Amino acid sequence: MFKRSEESTLTSWYFEIDRRLLGCVLLLVFIGMLFMVSAGSVAAERIGQPWHFFIVKAMPFYAIGLITLFVVSLLNKKWVMRIAWVNVAVGLLLLPVTVVAPHVIKGSKRFVSLMGFNVMPADVMKPGFIILTAWFLARMSEKFGSKMFTTRDAWKLEWLSWWTYLAVFVPTLLIIFRHPDVGTAMLYLAVLCAMLFISGLPWKFFAIIVGLIPVGITTAFFTMSHVHRRIMTLLTGDGDNYQVTQSVQSIQHGGLLGSGDDAFVKQSLPDAHTDFIFAAIAEDVGAIVACGLLCLLLYVLKRLVTDATHARDTFVFYATGGAAALFGTQVCINLMTTLHLFAPKGMTLPFISYGGSSFVAFCLLFGMILAIVREDKWK
């Protein structure tokens, strides 16, 4: 389409972008849109709405997300950083609203209603969290070197210090945990652990931080009734396990080649278009094609890891590694929930599940990663 001798912005973008990663993301979006027609229609009819109800609701988010993906991927590092600051600032402004005046959906108090859209601040600020954490780690590494975790100077009450970062991160994590949204809180902590690990955190400190995850789950188990109920249902099989049972049966009914028009189990799966969309896909097209989708998700993760290991800039290494950790962990949690290997967490399958906040956030994150990887490789 283009000759390399042309030096327009679009031509440079076309030749310099990680086209494999971009192509895989677009393919995931197309797959998500395709199966939204199937899974979304049965979910809409179940609540007495026209078959196209969720598809129409999702279209503005598809448009916003894809425009965001392409526009942000054209930017340079400075603009990516500016957007990350704005992203986190908006998230931090909206998070307290979920405490004092939340928009409740299915008993969950983690949403805010903005101009007719239901926005989840904890989802919205994921891209900014990863980019700013990567920037912070890169600056700390530049200033203190390998001793950035242990030297006293790194813990002084200064602008660039661990206390400054923790003063923002810890209250944010506590608000998300209080929603209650244990799954997202643990996801944030897991991503932070991964980013600290690749930045050289000593093993003993890494073990302490990782230990906070089971501590948080244990605390939630004894203090939050819904968490206690879900974990006990997972461990004992007793209680309300209707959704996960239907999810497993939906996959089983699909067989190897899928049920096609005869797929009926997903019709009784309450969240077939969101948390359990993989089960609906498996019933429609079968285990073989569903495994192909898993391979595509794994390839996206591989591209992120490859871009991280080939990065020349420490900031790009940390940011791309953090994106890989977020993407991989969220995919694992969603699939483990679908297969009844993990307690339901209400977590979407990236680029596939219905969910405007999650979709736009992942488009923004991948646009940022594509932009900084392109600049790191060619500039």
Side-chain angles (χ1 to χ4, degrees):
M1 292 179 61
F2 303 100
K3 295 181 179 179
R4 190 67 182 97
S5 57
E6 298 176 9
E7 292 299 332
S8 67
T9 301
L10 185 59
T11 305
S12 297
W13 173 87
Y14 176 80
F15 282 103
E16 295 170 359
I17 202 76
D18 185 345
R19 293 196 295 275
R20 294 181 181 179
L21 178 58
L22 177 61
C24 289
V25 169
L26 293 178
L27 182 56
L28 286 174
V29 174
F30 175 76
I31 292 172
M33 294 175 68
L34 182 65
F35 286 102
M36 184 58 62
V37 175
S38 173
S41 61
V42 297
E45 290 173 358
R46 189 185 305 115
I47 60 175
Q49 297 290 342
W51 68 270
H52 52 75
F53 177 74
F54 287 111
I55 304 166
V56 172
K57 285 189 67 175
M59 283 303 170
F61 292 106
Y62 281 129
I64 294 170
L66 290 174
I67 292 172
T68 300
L69 174 67
F70 282 105
V71 171
V72 173
S73 68
L74 285 162
L75 303 178
N76 56 32
K77 178 182 173 180
K78 289 184 179 179
W79 273 105
V80 168
M81 288 300 306
R82 290 168 183 167
I83 293 174
W85 282 106
V86 173
N87 177 250
V88 170
V90 170
L92 292 177
L93 287 174
L94 293 179
L95 268 179
V97 178
T98 62
V99 177
V100 296
H103 182 72
V104 182
I105 299 179
K106 294 183 179 180
S108 175
K109 299 179 180 180
R110 45 186 169 174
F111 295 91
V112 175
S113 182
L114 288 177
M115 297 181 292
F117 295 104
N118 300 321
V119 178
M120 182 176 167
D123 262 348
V124 168
M125 63 186 296
K126 286 176 183 176
F129 161 72
I130 289 176
I131 296 297
L132 293 189
T133 299
W135 171 83
F136 174 77
L137 291 174
R139 290 291 304 273
M140 292 290 284
S141 177
E142 179 183 331
K143 185 175 181 179
F144 301 108
S146 60
K147 297 182 179 180
M148 65 174 178
F149 297 103
T150 56
T151 181
R152 291 184 178 180
D153 291 339
W155 291 89
K156 289 182 178 179
L157 291 176
E158 298 176 348
W159 159 243
L160 188 67
S161 74
W162 285 107
W163 290 117
T164 305
Y165 180 83
L166 293 175
V168 176
F169 177 74
V170 173
T172 300
L173 198 65
L174 291 176
I175 292 176
I176 296 172
F177 190 84
R178 184 187 179 277
H179 278 157
D181 190 357
V182 180
T184 302
M186 295 302 104
L187 178 64
Y188 268 88
L189 191 56
V191 173
L192 178 62
C193 288
M195 296 183 73
L196 293 177
F197 177 75
I198 65 176
S199 64
L201 180 69
W203 277 102
K204 58 182 179 180
F205 297 117
F206 179 74
I208 293 173
I209 297 177
V210 170
L212 293 176
I213 296 178
V215 169
I217 295 175
T218 303
T219 302
F221 178 79
F222 287 107
T223 60
M224 300 177 184
S225 59
H226 75 287
V227 175
H228 183 277
R229 184 172 58 254
R230 290 179 180 179
I231 293 178
M232 291 304 297
T233 298
L234 175 67
L235 296 177
T236 65
D238 298 327
D240 183 12
N241 57 2
Y242 176 78
Q243 287 200 90
V244 292
T245 299
Q246 292 299 112
S247 174
V248 173
Q249 289 180 356
S250 184
I251 296 172
Q252 292 173 340
H253 185 247
L256 290 176
L257 302 178
S259 300
D261 293 336
D262 295 326
F264 64 87
V265 180
K266 67 181 182 182
Q267 295 179 4
S268 55
L269 184 59
D271 294 320
H273 61 310
T274 54
D275 305 349
F276 295 95
I277 194 170
F278 184 78
I281 292 173
E283 185 177 10
D284 277 337
V285 297
I288 295 176
V289 177
C291 286
L293 175 58
L294 290 181
C295 291
L296 180 59
L297 292 167
L298 284 173
Y299 186 74
V300 171
L301 182 60
K302 176 183 178 297
R303 289 305 309 170
L304 289 171
V305 173
T306 300
D307 286 337
T309 54
H310 291 171
R312 295 179 296 179
D313 187 350
T314 306
F315 161 72
V316 177
F317 171 63
Y318 293 152
T320 311
L326 174 66
F327 182 82
T329 304
Q330 187 155 332
V331 167
C332 285
I333 292 175
N334 178 274
L335 294 179
M336 290 174 68
T337 298
T338 301
L339 298 171
H340 200 192
L341 299 174
F342 201 75
K345 304 310 301 176
M347 202 165 289
T348 60
L349 186 60
F351 298 113
I352 304 293
S353 297
Y354 172 82
S357 298
S358 176
F359 180 78
V360 174
F362 269 105
C363 285
L364 175 59
L365 174 61
F366 274 72
M368 289 173 163
I369 296 301
L370 287 167
I372 61 176
V373 167
R374 175 178 57 84
E375 182 173 331
D376 178 67
K377 185 176 180 180
W378 294 97
K379 305 303 180 184

